[in-house]
């Protein structure tokens, strides 16, 4: 699904902000996630112990360039991540707006072109911009990660119709909803719309019970995908009786 790798689950989980390493470990296990992300900046602060904890989970590691505000900074961070973690996978983030953490489309594309040319397998964090998506695919990105809403906001799919249009526009490109998911129902909705995976962090890490919330998200993502594959009932303008009128008994 993602650069030739098919994860065990369509839930991707971030690893920042957990109350303790033990809760992080247990939340990853409860979620069933097959891919987990980590910030190189956190990796540098936590050291080998944190890295060993993540590797022991059995999940595929997806390092990210969180906190970068320029193409040059993101490129350098990606190169460091590849050297430190031994993977060409990189979740590419280049932040352009300090308040909304909206990605900078110009710097994102610039960095993606350089990294793809260097053999990285890039997962770009982006808005639901169709033209930007096309340019990123042309640059060599084989996955796109549009946001649902600003990072950590919990607003869910703020521009649902734009995301539907993006799904229709890129039928053969894996699309991952990344950021803004605050409830399992929101993750389920994304999967019902046909997205290939959901990446989230804060909604689990900051929950009163991170392990229970991780389990809830894992089940929601699975249920949403099953519903999409089974074929959802389309909405109708009028009521349609579930019991046929023909053949009903007449009184009097």
């Amino acid at each position: 699904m993602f650069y030739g790798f098919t994860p065990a689950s369509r839930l991707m989980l971030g690893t920042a902000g957990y109350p303790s390493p033990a809760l992080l470990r247990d939340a990853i296990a409860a979620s069933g996630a097959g891919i987990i992300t980590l910030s190189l900046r956190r990796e540098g602060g936590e050291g080998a112990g944190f890295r060993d904890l993540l590797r022991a989970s059995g999940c595929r590691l997806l390092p990210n360039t969180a906190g970068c505000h320029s193409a040059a900074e993101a490129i350098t961070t990606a190169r460091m991540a590849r050297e430190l973690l031994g993977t060409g996978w990189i979740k590419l983030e280049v932040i352009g707006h300090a308040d909304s953490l909206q990605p900078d489309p110009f710097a994102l594309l610039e960095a993606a072109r350089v990294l793809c040319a260097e053999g990285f397998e890039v997962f770009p964090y982006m808005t639901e911009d169709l033209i930007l998506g096309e340019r990123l695919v042309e640059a060599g990105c084989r996955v796109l990660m549009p946001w649902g809403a600003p990072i950590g906001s919990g607003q869910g799919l703020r521009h649902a119709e734009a995301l539907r249009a993006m799904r229709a526009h890129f039928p053969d490109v894996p699309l991952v909803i990344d950021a803004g998911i605050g409830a399992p129902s929101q993750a389920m909705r994304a999967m019902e719309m046909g997205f290939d995976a959901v990446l989230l962090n804060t909604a689990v890490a900051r929950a009163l019970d991170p392990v229970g919330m991780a389990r809830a998200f894992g089940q929601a993502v699975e249920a949403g995908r099953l519903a999409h594959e089974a074929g959802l009932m389309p909405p109708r303008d009028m009521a349609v009786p579930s019991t046929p009128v023909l053949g009903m008994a007449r009184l009097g």
Side-chain angles (χ1 to χ4, degrees), residues 1-2 5 7-14 18 27-37 59-60 176-177 181 183-184 187-188 191 195-201 203-204 210-211 213-222 225:
M1 181 194 302
F2 303 121
F5 174 77
S9 168
R10 293 176 183 270
L11 175 63
M12 302 164 70
L13 199 63
Y18 284 80
I28 293 172
S31 73
I35 297 172
I36 53 178
T37 66
C59 298
R60 180 74 179 260
V176 180
I177 293 295
I181 297 296
M188 183 183 297
M191 299 306 296
F195 284 87
D196 295 280
V198 170
L199 171 58
L200 56 97
N201 187 165
V204 172
V211 177
M213 188 63 74
R215 183 175 295 109
F217 270 107
Q219 294 175 1
V221 166
E222 181 179 0
R225 183 64 187 186

Side-chain angles (χ1 to χ4, degrees), residues 27 33 38 44 59 72 86 98 131 135 144 147 163 186 189 230 233 238 244:
L38 71 157
C59 298
I131 305 305
R135 297 296 180 266
L144 299 176
W147 68 351
L163 289 168
Q186 297 167 355
R189 184 185 182 197
M233 174 182 171
M238 299 181 64

Side-chain angles (χ1 to χ4, degrees), residues 131-147:
I131 305 305
L132 175 59
E134 289 179 350
R135 297 296 180 266
L136 288 166
V137 170
E138 291 169 2
C141 298
R142 290 165 53 192
V143 178
L144 299 176
M145 303 183 77
W147 68 351

Side-chain angles (χ1 to χ4, degrees), residues 142-161:
R142 290 165 53 192
V143 178
L144 299 176
M145 303 183 77
W147 68 351
I151 294 171
S153 69
Q155 295 178 15
L157 307 182
R158 190 167 64 169
H159 300 137
E161 291 310 311

